[in-house]
Amino acid sequence: EAGVAQSPRYKIIEKRQSVAFWCNPISGHATLYWYQQILGQGPKLLIQFQNNGVVDDSQLPKDRFSAERLKGVDSTLKIQPAKLEDSAVYLCASSYDPGRPPLHFGNGTRLTVT
Amino acid sequence: SQQGEEDPQALSIQEGENATMNCSYKTSINNLQWYRQNSGRGLVHLILIRSNEREKHSGRLRVTLDTSKKSSSLLITASRAADTASYFCATDYTGTASKLTFGTGTRLQVTL
């Protein structure tokens, strides 16, 4: 079984620029999550999708962050404009459905905002 | 805010010793999960314990859950250098659409 794929692996941008991350979940997984992990902290949920629909985006800074999951498969997370405090690892995870753990994580995208 | 808090924040032991890390949480849960994260990688699921269970084993891992104290512990027996990683507890608390909330993590260093 192929794992969760994420790209790019690393990204360095200047503040006020925009950036996008891509995630391809495990085939057949209906639930997709984006987490933000700041250095030295645990992952914080940004947004949770169930198929095409958003289940929870209560911690997504909607003035600058957006995410979509077209056709219930791949997902992109965008930041525009980026701030210094957005420097973090962005992790994508997937599961069969919310009630069936565990979560399977990708290796993340490390974003540095200068 | 983070639901779980791990203790200790960092732990250094020698190969062959046991490692114990603790997790405390704040509200009622459906289950509690432990994940491992190697440096520069994503998280990997280790073990899940449901709210009606008190202890669970998987290989060299032993997890306990005390819902009255809202706490859990992860014991790794006979540790190996390959166990060096950060360990996170994650709580699936009741009243949500199975939203996992991760703790702050314990960084484990196992030396030869």
Side-chain angles (χ1 to χ4, degrees):
Chain A
E1 166 180 270
V4 175
Q6 288 189 248
S7 69
R9 191 79 173 87
Y10 304 93
K11 190 73 176 179
I12 300 174
I13 62 172
E14 295 182 348
K15 59 183 179 184
R16 293 187 289 274
Q17 287 186 325
S18 62
V19 65
F21 313 124
W22 173 82
C23 173
N24 180 240
I26 292 173
S27 178
H29 282 194
T31 310
L32 186 146
Y33 313 78
W34 283 101
Y35 282 86
Q36 179 193 58
Q37 185 176 25
I38 293 172
L39 185 65
Q41 298 183 18
K44 182 184 84 170
L45 179 68
L46 292 176
I47 190 167
Q48 177 180 342
F49 290 96
Q50 178 69 14
N51 296 311
N52 290 344
V54 175
V55 174
D56 187 331
D57 64 356
S58 57
Q59 298 191 90
L60 186 74
K62 298 179 185 66
D63 58 333
R64 298 184 301 107
F65 286 64
S66 65
E68 60 180 7
R69 190 181 184 196
L70 299 176
K71 301 180 181 179
V73 182
D74 293 5
S75 178
T76 55
L77 176 69
K78 297 179 182 178
I79 307 175
Q80 183 178 11
K83 293 185 176 181
L84 295 177
E85 57 261 36
D86 298 332
S87 294
V89 175
Y90 291 85
L91 294 162
C92 179
S94 68
S95 64
Y96 279 108
D97 61 49
R100 292 176 64 184
L103 270 59
H104 299 262
F105 281 84
N107 285 327
T109 296
R110 181 175 297 276
L111 174 67
T112 301
V113 182
T114 62
Chain B
S1 63
Q2 301 277 355
Q3 170 77 339
E5 297 290 333
E6 270 110 320
D7 171 61
Q9 287 188 329
L11 180 60
S12 183
I13 59 174
Q14 291 190 321
E15 203 170 46
E17 295 181 334
N18 296 341
T20 300
M21 48 205 86
N22 305 294
C23 169
S24 61
Y25 57 92
K26 297 176 183 175
T27 58
S28 297
I29 60 172
N30 295 318
N31 63 68
L32 185 144
Q33 303 173 38
W34 286 90
Y35 287 77
R36 184 188 75 227
Q37 185 177 35
N38 290 88
S39 180
R41 306 298 294 271
L43 284 77
V44 174
H45 181 261
L46 295 176
I47 194 167
L48 178 152
I49 187 164
R50 301 192 186 281
S51 59
N52 61 353
E53 297 175 313
R54 291 297 167 259
E55 187 171 311
K56 205 162 182 180
H57 297 255
S58 176
R60 295 184 295 113
L61 304 180
R62 172 178 170 256
V63 171
T64 61
L65 179 66
D66 187 334
T67 54
S68 66
K69 295 181 179 178
K70 293 186 171 58
S71 67
S72 173
S73 67
L74 172 67
L75 168 68
I76 304 174
T77 60
S79 62
R80 305 166 181 168
D83 295 328
T84 295
S86 291
Y87 292 81
F88 295 91
C89 67
T91 48
D92 174 6
Y93 53 98
T94 55
T96 71
S98 294
K99 182 175 81 171
L100 273 190
T101 304
F102 286 83
T104 52
T106 293
R107 292 185 304 280
L108 174 65
Q109 176 76 42
V110 182
T111 56
L112 296 171

